[in-house]
Amino acid sequence: MAGCKNLIGTFMLQIIVLALFSLHAEGQGLKVGFYKKSCPQAEGIVSKVISDVMAVAPSLSGPLLRMHFHDCFIRGCDGSILLDSPKGQTEKFSPPNLSLRGFNVIDRVKLALEKACPGVVSCADIVALVARDVTVATKGPHWKVETGRRDGKVSLITDPINPVTGLPSFTSNITVLKQSWSLRGLSTKDLVVLSGGHTIGMSHCSSFEERLYNFTGKGNNGDTDPTMDQNYVARLKLKCKPQDKTTIVELDPGSFKTFDDSYYKLVTKRRGLLQSDAALLNDPETRAYMIKSTSHGSTFFKDFGVSMVNMGRIGVLTGSQGEIRKVCTKTN
Ligand code: HEM
Ligand SMILES: *[C@@H]1O[C@H](CO)[C@@H](O)[C@H](O)[C@H]1NC(C)=O
Ligand SMILES: *[C@@H]1O[C@H](CO)[C@@H](O)[C@H](O)[C@H]1NC(C)=O
Ligand SMILES: *[C@@H]1O[C@H](CO)[C@@H](O)[C@H](O)[C@H]1NC(C)=O
């Protein structure tokens, strides 16, 4: 009976996921330069606002790159991450949203675009363009962003919670991570490449605290993740005391402000901060990619642009679907 329920459960999950991502990673209707005629200045305006913001608040590069990931993985890249609701019932209020910031930057870009070309550029495209521009601002690769996404009208607080259909968790193992990527039409290579986004930015202690203090649930001081470099564990313990909810530490110590390939060097030395980073060593393909990326033969920069384009195609609304929001936090 239990087995039967399980089977039905799995089947239901597949149906739900198929419905959610029926357009997964095909991205029909998207193209580079979608606004060439309707708003030729669009991409220039986005870049200008981002370079102004980066000059005064460079720490927003991490959250703004991460925002495109969170948007695309829930209901496709449709700007649903940006929607507010009076009672805080939208995606951004869900626990895995942890520390997403920079929503006001998106609003600022939108304001500038509405002035130049009212009602033309979608919020979903703004999020995609901003993710590229902050990558460039941190000395990372440049890629051509496909545009033409339209904005969704739905955003639910419950959507992100399931680690497969929603956002992957920092404790997700390699099996779950691969499943999460493949459900969205993304490859295992896209998984290891996009995880390289952790070359910039910060994490709260709470996202890896268990690895320091409570790995098996015994909760004593010595209960650390044995797969983690113990010197690194010791250093992290100095910064993060148990139950610390406020301290943030670098995801990629030493170069967290620079988009480079040092993330892979650290993870292969068992210094990945999150369990989901370390998990990439437990699969032959992701492991091989990590090792390759620590050498001169690294193709990470080129690959990152390709995988970001792939991610940017997940479940997009195009043509006459959805709408072009006037304000990114509200449906029209
Ligand atoms: C593989 C699955 C992933 C998991 C489980 C994951 C999880 C996390 C967690 C837990 C944090 C720290 C949040 C906090 O405690 O404040 C974080 C930060 C970050 N993530 Fe991921 N992430 C994943 C994939 C990605 C992808 C695909 C990207 C983009 C390409 C990305 C970009 C970032 C960035 C830039 C930060 C730093 C944010 C900041 O500076 O505030 N992550 N991620
Ligand atoms: C994220 O979710 C938490 C808990 O659901 C909520 O208290 C917080 O305000 C949310 N953060 C943002 C930026 O919306
Ligand atoms: C991975 O995590 C899932 C969900 O928590 C679990 O069911 C599965 O057994 C885990 N797989 C491995 C190989 O640990
Ligand atoms: C350690 O983990 C267990 C199981 O997840 C939990 O019940 C317990 O409260 C945790 N202890 C501490 C000190 O966080």
Side-chain angles (χ1 to χ4, degrees):
M1 193 61 202
C4 178
K5 262 191 196 153
N6 251 333
L7 208 66
I8 294 173
T10 309
F11 185 63
M12 293 287 285
L13 187 77
Q14 276 168 3
I15 301 270
I16 292 167
V17 166
L18 276 177
L20 279 177
F21 301 110
S22 52
L23 294 169
H24 70 26
E26 283 164 20
Q28 302 103 322
L30 296 187
K31 62 176 187 189
V32 172
F34 182 84
Y35 299 109
K36 214 169 180 175
K37 291 217 174 79
S38 56
C39 187
Q41 342 61 315
E43 296 202 19
I45 290 173
V46 178
S47 299
K48 173 72 173 77
V49 175
I50 292 305
S51 80
D52 290 351
V53 168
M54 289 295 109
V56 293
S59 74
L60 285 176
S61 56
L64 287 170
L65 171 57
R66 190 176 178 218
M67 193 179 287
H68 188 39
F69 163 52
H70 282 215
D71 188 27
C72 292
F73 265 55
I74 308 295
R75 293 187 179 270
C77 320
D78 68 343
S80 54
I81 188 70
L82 306 170
L83 289 174
D84 277 335
S85 79
K87 291 189 187 146
Q89 292 301 302
T90 47
E91 261 168 52
K92 63 162 75 153
F93 297 101
S94 185
N97 73 8
L98 257 174
S99 75
L100 264 190
R101 300 185 295 135
F103 292 109
N104 57 338
V105 175
I106 304 296
D107 295 341
R108 198 169 144 186
V109 173
K110 179 64 169 172
L111 214 61
L113 285 169
E114 286 299 294
K115 236 187 205 167
C117 325
V120 173
V121 182
S122 69
C123 298
D125 278 346
I126 294 174
V127 173
L129 290 165
V130 165
R132 190 267 315 275
D133 289 347
V134 297
T135 303
V136 171
T138 50
K139 301 193 166 71
H142 182 280
W143 65 91
K144 291 189 175 133
V145 178
E146 291 178 344
T147 43
R149 295 171 193 81
R150 293 174 58 92
D151 298 321
K153 300 182 187 176
V154 180
S155 177
L156 300 175
I157 189 168
T158 45
D159 274 346
I161 292 175
N162 183 294
V164 175
T165 58
L167 284 171
S169 155
F170 48 78
T171 59
S172 290
N173 61 35
I174 187 70
T175 314
V176 169
L177 291 172
K178 284 171 75 170
Q179 203 182 352
S180 159
W181 255 247
S182 83
L183 281 173
R184 290 157 173 92
L186 298 179
S187 68
T188 299
K189 180 172 182 187
D190 291 321
L191 166 64
V192 65
V193 169
L194 291 169
S195 296
H198 290 169
T199 176
I200 57 169
M202 311 288 289
S203 168
H204 285 77
C205 295
S206 47
S207 300
F208 54 87
E209 177 190 332
E210 284 172 1
R211 303 187 78 193
L212 308 182
Y213 296 109
N214 199 8
F215 192 64
T216 62
K218 291 195 197 94
N220 64 37
N221 205 38
D223 193 9
T224 59
D225 182 343
T227 69
M228 207 172 188
D229 177 322
Q230 294 303 303
N231 293 322
Y232 187 39
V233 168
R235 271 202 284 139
L236 289 170
K237 279 183 167 178
L238 294 177
K239 293 189 178 154
C240 299
K241 297 298 165 199
Q243 320 288 335
D244 183 336
K245 299 260 185 295
T246 52
T247 306
I248 51 174
V249 306
E250 301 159 19
L251 274 162
D252 179 10
S255 72
F256 73 104
K257 292 178 182 168
T258 312
F259 195 105
D260 56 17
D261 48 21
S262 59
Y263 165 82
Y264 296 112
K265 294 190 177 126
L266 290 171
V267 177
T268 51
K269 284 188 204 150
R270 306 194 303 140
R271 292 184 172 207
L273 186 60
L274 308 177
Q275 237 175 293
S276 54
D277 297 319
L280 299 171
L281 292 171
N282 300 334
D283 171 86
E285 184 182 346
T286 53
R287 187 188 174 88
Y289 186 86
M290 296 201 129
I291 293 169
K292 187 183 102 169
S293 301
T294 63
S295 75
H296 287 301
S298 172
T299 52
F300 173 51
F301 268 39
K302 190 181 111 282
D303 296 337
F304 192 74
V306 173
S307 289
M308 285 295 280
V309 170
N310 291 342
M311 184 173 86
R313 291 175 177 171
I314 299 173
V316 289
L317 303 171
T318 55
S320 58
Q321 299 169 314
E323 63 183 12
I324 304 296
R325 275 179 222 151
K326 294 192 174 75
V327 174
C328 289
T329 52
K330 282 189 277 197
T331 57
N332 290 344

Short mmCIF file of all heavy atoms in Angstrom, two decimals, residues 59 61-63 65-66 69-70 73 98-99 101 168-172 177 181 191 194-198 200-207 248 251 274 276-277 304 308 311, ligand 1:
data_model
loop_
_atom_site.label_atom_id
_atom_site.label_comp_id
_atom_site.label_asym_id
_atom_site.label_seq_id
_atom_site.Cartn_x
_atom_site.Cartn_y
_atom_site.Cartn_z
N SER A 59 28.39 44.93 -3.18
CA SER A 59 27.95 43.67 -2.56
C SER A 59 26.59 43.22 -3.08
O SER A 59 26.15 42.11 -2.77
CB SER A 59 27.90 43.81 -1.04
OG SER A 59 26.79 44.60 -0.67
N SER A 61 26.13 42.57 -6.14
CA SER A 61 26.36 41.70 -7.31
C SER A 61 25.90 40.27 -7.03
O SER A 61 25.23 39.66 -7.87
CB SER A 61 27.83 41.73 -7.73
OG SER A 61 28.65 41.36 -6.63
N GLY A 62 26.23 39.74 -5.86
CA GLY A 62 25.84 38.36 -5.51
C GLY A 62 24.33 38.16 -5.54
O GLY A 62 23.81 37.36 -6.31
N PRO A 63 23.62 38.93 -4.71
CA PRO A 63 22.17 38.77 -4.70
C PRO A 63 21.51 38.98 -6.07
O PRO A 63 20.51 38.33 -6.38
CB PRO A 63 21.68 39.82 -3.71
CG PRO A 63 22.86 40.32 -3.00
CD PRO A 63 24.09 39.81 -3.65
N LEU A 65 22.80 38.35 -9.08
CA LEU A 65 23.03 37.17 -9.92
C LEU A 65 22.11 36.04 -9.46
O LEU A 65 21.44 35.37 -10.25
CB LEU A 65 24.51 36.74 -9.84
CG LEU A 65 24.86 35.40 -10.50
CD1 LEU A 65 24.48 35.38 -11.98
CD2 LEU A 65 26.35 35.09 -10.33
N ARG A 66 22.05 35.87 -8.16
CA ARG A 66 21.24 34.80 -7.59
C ARG A 66 19.75 34.97 -7.91
O ARG A 66 19.01 33.99 -8.04
CB ARG A 66 21.46 34.84 -6.07
CG ARG A 66 20.89 33.68 -5.33
CD ARG A 66 21.26 33.77 -3.86
NE ARG A 66 20.69 32.68 -3.11
CZ ARG A 66 20.19 32.80 -1.89
NH1 ARG A 66 20.22 33.97 -1.29
NH2 ARG A 66 19.67 31.76 -1.28
N PHE A 69 18.49 33.11 -10.96
CA PHE A 69 18.37 31.68 -10.65
C PHE A 69 17.06 31.40 -9.91
O PHE A 69 16.28 30.52 -10.29
CB PHE A 69 19.60 31.26 -9.83
CG PHE A 69 19.50 29.96 -9.08
CD1 PHE A 69 19.12 28.79 -9.72
CD2 PHE A 69 19.82 29.91 -7.72
CE1 PHE A 69 19.06 27.59 -9.01
CE2 PHE A 69 19.76 28.72 -7.01
CZ PHE A 69 19.36 27.55 -7.66
N HIS A 70 16.79 32.16 -8.87
CA HIS A 70 15.55 31.94 -8.09
C HIS A 70 14.31 32.21 -8.94
O HIS A 70 13.30 31.54 -8.80
CB HIS A 70 15.55 32.82 -6.85
CG HIS A 70 16.41 32.28 -5.74
ND1 HIS A 70 16.11 32.39 -4.42
CD2 HIS A 70 17.58 31.59 -5.78
CE1 HIS A 70 17.05 31.81 -3.68
NE2 HIS A 70 17.96 31.33 -4.50
N PHE A 73 13.95 29.16 -11.62
CA PHE A 73 13.65 27.83 -11.09
C PHE A 73 12.22 27.70 -10.57
O PHE A 73 11.73 26.59 -10.38
CB PHE A 73 14.68 27.42 -10.01
CG PHE A 73 15.80 26.61 -10.59
CD1 PHE A 73 16.54 27.10 -11.65
CD2 PHE A 73 16.10 25.34 -10.12
CE1 PHE A 73 17.57 26.36 -12.23
CE2 PHE A 73 17.12 24.58 -10.69
CZ PHE A 73 17.86 25.09 -11.74
N LEU A 98 15.98 33.19 1.54
CA LEU A 98 17.03 33.67 2.42
C LEU A 98 17.89 34.77 1.83
O LEU A 98 18.68 34.51 0.94
CB LEU A 98 17.94 32.51 2.79
CG LEU A 98 17.72 31.95 4.18
CD1 LEU A 98 18.56 30.72 4.39
CD2 LEU A 98 18.02 33.01 5.23
N SER A 99 17.72 35.96 2.33
CA SER A 99 18.69 36.99 2.02
C SER A 99 18.72 37.46 0.57
O SER A 99 19.67 38.08 0.15
CB SER A 99 20.10 36.54 2.39
OG SER A 99 20.56 35.62 1.45
N ARG A 101 18.38 40.05 -2.00
CA ARG A 101 18.34 41.50 -1.85
C ARG A 101 18.43 42.14 -3.22
O ARG A 101 18.68 41.47 -4.19
CB ARG A 101 19.56 41.99 -1.05
CG ARG A 101 19.65 41.42 0.35
CD ARG A 101 20.82 42.06 1.10
NE ARG A 101 22.13 41.75 0.54
CZ ARG A 101 23.11 42.63 0.34
NH1 ARG A 101 22.93 43.91 0.62
NH2 ARG A 101 24.27 42.24 -0.16
N PRO A 168 16.43 24.16 -4.97
CA PRO A 168 17.27 23.16 -4.30
C PRO A 168 17.71 23.72 -2.94
O PRO A 168 17.82 24.93 -2.76
CB PRO A 168 18.47 23.01 -5.24
CG PRO A 168 18.44 24.19 -6.13
CD PRO A 168 17.03 24.68 -6.19
N SER A 169 17.94 22.80 -2.01
CA SER A 169 18.34 23.23 -0.67
C SER A 169 19.86 23.15 -0.54
O SER A 169 20.52 22.39 -1.25
CB SER A 169 17.70 22.30 0.36
OG SER A 169 18.45 22.29 1.55
N PHE A 170 20.41 23.89 0.41
CA PHE A 170 21.86 23.81 0.66
C PHE A 170 22.27 22.45 1.19
O PHE A 170 23.45 22.14 1.25
CB PHE A 170 22.32 24.95 1.58
CG PHE A 170 21.48 25.15 2.80
CD1 PHE A 170 21.60 24.31 3.90
CD2 PHE A 170 20.56 26.19 2.85
CE1 PHE A 170 20.81 24.51 5.03
CE2 PHE A 170 19.77 26.39 3.98
CZ PHE A 170 19.89 25.54 5.07
N THR A 171 21.30 21.63 1.60
CA THR A 171 21.64 20.27 2.03
C THR A 171 21.37 19.24 0.93
O THR A 171 21.60 18.06 1.14
CB THR A 171 20.85 19.84 3.28
OG1 THR A 171 19.46 19.91 2.97
CG2 THR A 171 21.15 20.73 4.47
N SER A 172 20.89 19.68 -0.23
CA SER A 172 20.55 18.71 -1.29
C SER A 172 21.76 17.89 -1.71
O SER A 172 22.87 18.43 -1.86
CB SER A 172 19.99 19.43 -2.52
OG SER A 172 18.72 19.97 -2.26
N LEU A 177 20.04 17.25 -6.75
CA LEU A 177 20.47 18.38 -7.58
C LEU A 177 20.34 18.05 -9.06
O LEU A 177 19.81 18.83 -9.85
CB LEU A 177 21.91 18.79 -7.26
CG LEU A 177 22.15 19.43 -5.88
CD1 LEU A 177 23.65 19.60 -5.62
CD2 LEU A 177 21.43 20.77 -5.76
N TRP A 181 17.82 19.83 -11.86
CA TRP A 181 18.28 20.43 -13.11
C TRP A 181 17.60 19.75 -14.31
O TRP A 181 17.15 20.42 -15.23
CB TRP A 181 19.80 20.33 -13.22
CG TRP A 181 20.49 21.64 -12.96
CD1 TRP A 181 21.19 22.38 -13.87
CD2 TRP A 181 20.54 22.39 -11.73
NE1 TRP A 181 21.66 23.54 -13.28
CE2 TRP A 181 21.27 23.57 -11.98
CE3 TRP A 181 20.02 22.19 -10.45
CZ2 TRP A 181 21.51 24.54 -11.00
CZ3 TRP A 181 20.25 23.16 -9.47
CH2 TRP A 181 20.99 24.30 -9.74
N LEU A 191 24.55 22.09 -14.31
CA LEU A 191 24.56 22.10 -12.83
C LEU A 191 25.92 22.51 -12.28
O LEU A 191 26.01 23.42 -11.44
CB LEU A 191 24.16 20.72 -12.30
CG LEU A 191 24.43 20.47 -10.81
CD1 LEU A 191 23.60 21.41 -9.93
CD2 LEU A 191 24.14 19.01 -10.44
N LEU A 194 26.76 26.25 -13.41
CA LEU A 194 25.99 27.31 -12.74
C LEU A 194 26.30 27.40 -11.25
O LEU A 194 26.25 28.48 -10.66
CB LEU A 194 24.49 27.11 -12.98
CG LEU A 194 24.04 27.35 -14.42
CD1 LEU A 194 22.60 26.87 -14.63
CD2 LEU A 194 24.16 28.82 -14.81
N SER A 195 26.65 26.26 -10.65
CA SER A 195 27.06 26.29 -9.24
C SER A 195 28.28 27.19 -9.07
O SER A 195 28.52 27.73 -7.98
CB SER A 195 27.37 24.89 -8.72
OG SER A 195 26.21 24.09 -8.74
N GLY A 196 29.04 27.36 -10.14
CA GLY A 196 30.20 28.26 -10.13
C GLY A 196 29.81 29.70 -9.86
O GLY A 196 30.68 30.53 -9.58
N GLY A 197 28.51 30.01 -9.90
CA GLY A 197 28.02 31.33 -9.48
C GLY A 197 28.44 31.64 -8.05
O GLY A 197 28.52 32.81 -7.65
N HIS A 198 28.72 30.59 -7.28
CA HIS A 198 29.16 30.80 -5.90
C HIS A 198 30.60 31.31 -5.81
O HIS A 198 31.18 31.35 -4.74
CB HIS A 198 28.99 29.50 -5.09
CG HIS A 198 27.55 29.17 -4.83
ND1 HIS A 198 27.13 27.97 -4.32
CD2 HIS A 198 26.41 29.91 -5.03
CE1 HIS A 198 25.80 27.99 -4.21
NE2 HIS A 198 25.35 29.14 -4.64
N ILE A 200 31.12 34.31 -6.35
CA ILE A 200 30.95 35.63 -5.72
C ILE A 200 29.89 35.52 -4.62
O ILE A 200 29.05 34.62 -4.64
CB ILE A 200 30.53 36.74 -6.71
CG1 ILE A 200 29.22 36.38 -7.44
CG2 ILE A 200 31.62 37.05 -7.71
CD1 ILE A 200 28.62 37.54 -8.23
N GLY A 201 29.96 36.44 -3.68
CA GLY A 201 28.88 36.60 -2.71
C GLY A 201 29.08 35.94 -1.37
O GLY A 201 30.14 35.40 -1.07
N MET A 202 28.03 36.02 -0.58
CA MET A 202 28.09 35.66 0.82
C MET A 202 27.01 34.65 1.19
O MET A 202 26.01 34.53 0.50
CB MET A 202 27.85 36.92 1.68
CG MET A 202 28.67 38.13 1.33
SD MET A 202 30.40 37.97 1.79
CE MET A 202 30.28 38.09 3.57
N SER A 203 27.22 33.99 2.31
CA SER A 203 26.21 33.09 2.85
C SER A 203 26.03 33.33 4.34
O SER A 203 27.00 33.63 5.05
CB SER A 203 26.63 31.64 2.62
OG SER A 203 25.81 30.77 3.37
N HIS A 204 24.82 33.17 4.81
CA HIS A 204 24.57 33.20 6.26
C HIS A 204 25.10 31.93 6.89
O HIS A 204 25.06 30.85 6.28
CB HIS A 204 23.07 33.32 6.54
CG HIS A 204 22.53 34.69 6.28
ND1 HIS A 204 22.28 35.16 5.02
CD2 HIS A 204 22.22 35.70 7.13
CE1 HIS A 204 21.83 36.40 5.10
NE2 HIS A 204 21.78 36.76 6.37
N CYS A 205 25.57 32.05 8.14
CA CYS A 205 26.05 30.87 8.87
C CYS A 205 25.00 29.76 8.89
O CYS A 205 25.33 28.58 8.82
CB CYS A 205 26.40 31.26 10.30
SG CYS A 205 27.78 32.40 10.42
N SER A 206 23.72 30.17 9.00
CA SER A 206 22.66 29.17 9.12
C SER A 206 22.59 28.24 7.91
O SER A 206 22.03 27.15 8.01
CB SER A 206 21.31 29.87 9.33
OG SER A 206 21.15 30.91 8.40
N SER A 207 23.17 28.64 6.77
CA SER A 207 23.11 27.79 5.58
C SER A 207 24.14 26.64 5.62
O SER A 207 24.12 25.77 4.75
CB SER A 207 23.33 28.63 4.31
OG SER A 207 22.33 29.61 4.19
N ILE A 248 27.35 36.79 8.15
CA ILE A 248 27.53 36.27 6.80
C ILE A 248 29.02 36.05 6.53
O ILE A 248 29.86 36.79 7.05
CB ILE A 248 26.91 37.19 5.72
CG1 ILE A 248 27.37 38.63 5.87
CG2 ILE A 248 25.40 37.11 5.75
CD1 ILE A 248 26.89 39.53 4.74
N LEU A 251 31.41 33.04 0.35
CA LEU A 251 31.23 31.73 -0.27
C LEU A 251 32.55 31.25 -0.88
O LEU A 251 32.82 30.06 -0.95
CB LEU A 251 30.19 31.81 -1.39
CG LEU A 251 28.72 31.65 -0.99
CD1 LEU A 251 27.82 32.18 -2.10
CD2 LEU A 251 28.37 30.20 -0.69
N LEU A 274 28.95 25.15 1.14
CA LEU A 274 27.65 24.51 1.31
C LEU A 274 27.77 23.02 1.00
O LEU A 274 28.60 22.60 0.20
CB LEU A 274 26.62 25.14 0.37
CG LEU A 274 26.49 26.66 0.41
CD1 LEU A 274 25.49 27.14 -0.64
CD2 LEU A 274 26.06 27.13 1.80
N SER A 276 25.72 21.44 -0.73
CA SER A 276 25.38 21.28 -2.15
C SER A 276 26.59 21.57 -3.05
O SER A 276 26.66 21.07 -4.17
CB SER A 276 24.21 22.20 -2.51
OG SER A 276 24.49 23.54 -2.15
N ASP A 277 27.54 22.36 -2.58
CA ASP A 277 28.79 22.56 -3.34
C ASP A 277 29.65 21.29 -3.24
O ASP A 277 30.14 20.78 -4.25
CB ASP A 277 29.59 23.75 -2.78
CG ASP A 277 28.85 25.07 -2.90
OD1 ASP A 277 28.21 25.30 -3.95
OD2 ASP A 277 28.90 25.88 -1.95
N PHE A 304 29.94 29.31 -18.63
CA PHE A 304 28.97 29.99 -17.76
C PHE A 304 27.94 30.76 -18.59
O PHE A 304 26.74 30.68 -18.33
CB PHE A 304 29.69 30.92 -16.78
CG PHE A 304 28.78 31.42 -15.67
CD1 PHE A 304 28.40 30.58 -14.64
CD2 PHE A 304 28.30 32.73 -15.67
CE1 PHE A 304 27.55 31.02 -13.61
CE2 PHE A 304 27.46 33.18 -14.65
CZ PHE A 304 27.09 32.33 -13.63
N MET A 308 24.01 30.01 -18.56
CA MET A 308 23.08 31.07 -18.15
C MET A 308 22.00 31.27 -19.22
O MET A 308 20.83 31.49 -18.90
CB MET A 308 23.82 32.38 -17.90
CG MET A 308 24.62 32.41 -16.61
SD MET A 308 23.62 32.30 -15.10
CE MET A 308 23.07 34.01 -14.93
N MET A 311 19.62 28.42 -18.73
CA MET A 311 18.77 28.65 -17.56
C MET A 311 17.72 29.71 -17.87
O MET A 311 16.56 29.60 -17.45
CB MET A 311 19.62 29.08 -16.36
CG MET A 311 18.84 29.24 -15.08
SD MET A 311 19.90 29.56 -13.64
CE MET A 311 20.06 31.35 -13.73
C1 HEM B 1 23.09 24.12 -6.86
C2 HEM B 1 22.08 24.57 -6.15
C3 HEM B 1 22.21 25.81 -5.32
C4 HEM B 1 22.00 25.89 -3.99
C5 HEM B 1 21.56 24.78 -3.07
C6 HEM B 1 22.29 27.26 -3.61
C7 HEM B 1 22.20 27.74 -2.32
C8 HEM B 1 22.67 28.96 -1.91
C9 HEM B 1 22.71 29.40 -0.54
C10 HEM B 1 22.20 28.60 0.65
C11 HEM B 1 23.27 30.61 -0.53
C12 HEM B 1 23.55 31.49 0.69
C13 HEM B 1 22.31 32.21 1.09
C14 HEM B 1 22.46 32.83 2.45
O1 HEM B 1 22.62 32.08 3.41
O2 HEM B 1 22.48 34.07 2.55
C15 HEM B 1 23.59 30.97 -1.89
C16 HEM B 1 24.17 32.15 -2.27
C17 HEM B 1 24.39 32.50 -3.58
N1 HEM B 1 24.03 31.76 -4.70
FE1 HEM B 1 23.41 29.85 -4.70
N2 HEM B 1 22.67 27.96 -4.71
C18 HEM B 1 22.62 27.14 -5.78
C19 HEM B 1 22.87 27.49 -7.10
C20 HEM B 1 23.14 28.77 -7.52
C21 HEM B 1 23.12 29.21 -8.89
C22 HEM B 1 22.72 28.35 -10.08
C23 HEM B 1 23.49 30.52 -8.89
C24 HEM B 1 23.63 31.46 -10.06
C25 HEM B 1 24.12 31.12 -11.22
C26 HEM B 1 23.74 30.89 -7.52
C27 HEM B 1 24.20 32.10 -7.10
C28 HEM B 1 24.41 32.47 -5.80
C29 HEM B 1 25.07 33.70 -5.40
C30 HEM B 1 25.69 34.73 -6.32
C31 HEM B 1 25.04 33.73 -4.00
C32 HEM B 1 25.57 34.84 -3.09
C33 HEM B 1 24.42 35.74 -2.67
C34 HEM B 1 24.81 36.93 -1.83
O3 HEM B 1 25.94 37.43 -1.94
O4 HEM B 1 23.93 37.39 -1.06
N3 HEM B 1 23.50 29.81 -6.71
N4 HEM B 1 23.20 29.94 -2.72
#
